[in-house]
Amino acid sequence: MEGVIAVLLLAWTLISPSSSGKAWPPHTVCRGGNLEVFYQSCDPLQDFGFSVDQCSKHLKSNLNIKLGFILREDIKELFLDIALFTKGSSILNFSYPICEEDLPKFSFCGRRKGEQIYYAGPINNPGLEILEGEYQVLLELYNENRATVACANATVICS
């Protein structure tokens, strides 16, 4: 029961409009090869840039990405939560430690508030085929204090 409440709370937090009523514009990650992916920052204070090197429903295992933003929080440790939904039902929840204090995986681990994060390179993921359908993906990067570093609502449409 706690897990369901946590997912619903995360979903509400990520998709709720900011208190100012303004939302960041949607960004297209890719369009082509029977796949369309776009996202919108759900952080009311900042937007960020993200892109991938391929747009295919057949995801290769070593995907190259680009990600850039300014840190509003120190990141001694950094974690990624992903929640995947289709037709209003949760189908996957995943948490991944990106930076651990004793095991930094990327050069930006340990950066301080106000510094820029820019990463261009591979991410390891299981190669998979995206099934036909429309999916909503909620992504949140947060530090060791559970302070949000970045978050996004993404839509994946595969035909």
Side-chain angles (χ1 to χ4, degrees), residues 10 79-83 92-98 140 142 146:
L10 174 65
F79 304 92
L80 172 65
D81 281 356
I82 300 172
L92 174 73
N93 288 300
F94 181 76
S95 292
Y96 181 75
I98 294 175
E140 182 185 16
Y142 58 92
R146 286 291 295 173

Side-chain angles (χ1 to χ4, degrees), residues 126-142:
L128 58 95
E129 182 173 342
I130 300 171
L131 300 176
E132 190 173 306
E134 184 171 325
Y135 306 92
Q136 290 71 44
V137 185
L138 306 174
L139 303 120
E140 182 185 16
L141 284 171
Y142 58 92

Side-chain angles (χ1 to χ4, degrees), residues 57-99:
K57 65 182 191 175
H58 305 285
L59 277 180
K60 59 185 180 181
S61 59
N62 226 2
L63 184 66
N64 287 307
I65 68 164
K66 291 180 184 175
L67 172 70
F69 58 94
I70 305 291
L71 284 174
R72 290 189 300 113
E73 302 285 342
D74 294 348
I75 54 168
K76 196 181 310 179
E77 295 182 312
L78 185 65
F79 304 92
L80 172 65
D81 281 356
I82 300 172
L84 179 63
F85 296 86
T86 188
K87 298 177 184 171
S89 297
S90 175
I91 57 175
L92 174 73
N93 288 300
F94 181 76
S95 292
Y96 181 75
I98 294 175
C99 299

Side-chain angles (χ1 to χ4, degrees), residues 43-46 69-74 113-115 148-150:
D43 183 336
L45 300 177
Q46 79 175 10
F69 58 94
I70 305 291
L71 284 174
R72 290 189 300 113
E73 302 285 342
D74 294 348
K113 179 179 180 176
E115 292 185 297
T148 298
V149 173

Side-chain angles (χ1 to χ4, degrees), residues 28-42:
T28 301
V29 175
C30 75
R31 185 178 287 146
N34 297 331
L35 185 67
E36 182 177 0
V37 180
F38 53 95
Y39 74 94
Q40 185 173 24
S41 174
C42 51

